[in-house]
Amino acid sequence: MTTQTPRGVTPVSDPATDLPTVAVVGVHGHGATHVRKVADLQERGLAVLAALVDPRPVEGDVPWFPDLDTLLAQARTDVVVIATPIHTHLALASAALRAGCDVLLEKPTTASLAEHAELLAVVEETGRLCQVGFQTFGSGAVDEVARIVATGELGELTGVGAVGTWVRGAGYFARARWAGRRTLDGVEVVDGVVTNPLAHAVATALLLAGARTVEDVTDVRVDLHRAHPIEADDTSAVVVGTRGGVRVSAGLTLCAPQRSPARIAVRGTLGTATLFYETDEIEVSSPRGTRRIQCGRVDLLTQLLMARTHPAIRLRCSVADTGAFLRVLEAVRTGPDPTPVPGAFVEWRGELGDRHPVVADVEHWCARVADQGATFTELGAPFAG
């Protein structure tokens, strides 16, 4: 079938090659990372960067389309990478899947648990593949921690705790209209520390506790606070009960004095394995002593491309695998608005154009949440008063 393309661009498919064609939707911000990744795969002869989709025109040799509907009306790429605001994920992923494309969808999967169920139904209806971009699900360190737990080296698991103490300045929340919002123009956005910047900490902690699906979570408690003048949370505690009986807790903030490596501790009666997921490193302390293990990582787009041609390969992070995380997101979405941190516990630092708040002793309290499985308020943190 002959298709028309916008004036001045070339078709998005190349009949002379059998390589999978890939379109990237949302090419600015984090989306630029995906463009570079696909370009690298093209250099290696593994894929073709066939289209860029963004409301803002993109210069260069790759065909540009202003929106996904326009692209799909002209031609269908084999894979669509979606790196757009959270509240657009369901509509865009559903359109791509129903057009016969496989999808790599940036995290978080959707903006609500109901949307997650709807997207899961579309995946089942179409029979297409949809990988979600929780990169840590491709980490060999996650596999290694699971192996260590299975050997009994840590004894019986007593809990999994995540700590994320990062820094985000005013510029981070000024970068887009949806940044730091719970809703935008009446639409759920749910962009806070738990659901976006440190979502990997929560999702990976759940994964290490054996909780992937919606049914794997029994209850969620959230304690949401904010020091920035935003709608969403920037300093939060999460405590999750799982069907397997392992409690997961996370102390998270974007208001630390300095950024520290995010970590997830898997604790047992005999020892602890701590995963530093940004670098795929593990520190194990047990009766065997203390050791450090460096692991690699499977790229999720590359793994999706492999799964397209090898049906026996299971996606590392399918839509269903993010159900446990969506239970947490739903608790954040439906919970009370974040409580402002009293000014007495906030110190503003940095340059005038990108100042950031520091919450008093927040690193200490985030660590206690992870270690003790209780929220800031339950632990008596002064700023949570």
Side-chain angles (χ1 to χ4, degrees):
M1 181 179 68
T2 302
T3 59
Q4 295 181 341
T5 57
R7 181 177 298 174
V9 301
T10 55
V12 297
S13 59
D14 182 358
T17 178
D18 291 331
L19 295 177
T21 53
V22 182
V24 179
V25 183
V27 302
H28 301 286
H30 185 61
T33 302
H34 288 288
V35 175
R36 291 192 294 271
K37 168 55 66 176
V38 182
D40 176 65
L41 292 174
Q42 181 167 284
E43 286 287 325
R44 294 160 53 194
L46 298 175
V48 175
L49 178 57
L52 302 176
V53 179
D54 198 278
R56 288 175 282 179
V58 180
E59 300 293 333
D61 298 330
V62 181
W64 163 76
F65 297 82
D67 53 59
L68 182 60
D69 287 343
T70 301
L71 168 63
L72 296 176
Q74 302 293 336
R76 176 185 62 80
T77 57
D78 297 311
V79 176
V80 173
V81 177
I82 298 173
T84 59
I86 303 165
H87 58 288
T88 67
H89 285 187
L90 174 63
L92 292 174
S94 297
L97 292 165
R98 288 188 169 124
C101 309
D102 294 315
V103 171
L104 175 67
L105 177 63
E106 255 305 335
K107 59 80 184 167
T109 320
T110 57
S112 71
L113 193 59
E115 287 190 352
H116 178 267
E118 188 173 340
L119 181 57
L120 189 57
V122 174
V123 171
E124 294 172 351
E125 164 200 324
T126 60
R128 305 309 308 181
L129 300 175
C130 186
Q131 179 109 281
V132 182
F134 280 109
Q135 297 102 324
T136 50
F137 280 52
S139 175
V142 170
D143 299 335
E144 181 62 14
V145 171
R147 187 197 66 79
I148 291 169
V149 169
T151 66
E153 180 179 347
L154 304 182
E156 182 180 350
L157 288 192
T158 58
V160 177
V163 177
T165 51
W166 286 6
V167 176
R168 288 290 187 270
Y172 176 80
F173 293 107
R175 75 192 192 283
R177 289 185 64 228
W178 55 270
R181 301 293 295 269
R182 286 170 69 82
T183 63
L184 178 64
D185 300 330
V187 177
E188 301 279 4
V189 174
V190 204
D191 179 50
V193 64
V194 175
T195 57
N196 199 358
L198 282 160
H200 283 97
V202 177
T204 309
L206 290 165
L207 180 63
L208 291 172
R212 289 177 177 264
T213 69
V214 170
E215 295 76 20
D216 288 334
V217 171
T218 57
D219 63 276
V220 183
R221 304 200 310 277
V222 295
D223 190 13
L224 311 177
H225 303 268
R226 60 172 179 84
H228 279 276
I230 58 175
E231 286 183 357
D233 56 308
D234 59 33
T235 301
S236 295
V238 176
V239 181
V240 184
T242 69
R243 183 166 57 178
V246 178
R247 182 175 57 193
V248 176
S249 51
L252 311 170
T253 188
L254 302 178
C255 304
Q258 60 186 6
R259 175 170 173 154
S260 300
R263 63 187 188 273
I264 301 167
V266 179
R267 299 182 299 274
T269 53
L270 298 178
T272 302
T274 302
L275 167 61
F276 299 89
Y277 67 78
E278 297 168 86
T279 55
D280 300 311
E281 294 179 276
I282 309 166
E283 184 173 277
V284 184
S285 297
S286 74
R288 289 180 50 186
T290 300
R291 65 189 187 278
R292 196 93 171 189
I293 304 170
Q294 178 67 62
C295 300
R297 181 178 291 198
V298 175
D299 173 65
L300 294 183
L301 176 57
T302 304
Q303 204 252 345
L304 171 63
L305 295 176
M306 293 174 61
R308 295 183 73 250
T309 55
H310 298 84
I313 294 178
R314 182 186 183 278
L315 291 180
R316 296 281 298 202
C317 189
S318 69
V319 173
D321 290 331
T322 65
F325 176 78
L326 259 293
R327 284 288 304 274
V328 174
L329 182 146
E330 186 73 1
V332 172
R333 184 184 75 84
T334 59
D337 289 342
T339 303
V341 176
F345 299 102
V346 179
E347 176 189 354
W348 285 87
R349 300 182 185 178
E351 300 296 327
L352 183 61
D354 196 30
R355 299 178 72 215
H356 67 274
V358 175
V359 175
D361 297 323
V362 72
E363 294 167 308
H364 164 77
W365 291 105
C366 285
R368 284 194 61 184
V369 169
D371 290 342
Q372 296 179 235
T375 69
F376 295 131
T377 300
E378 291 165 350
L379 291 170
F383 66 80

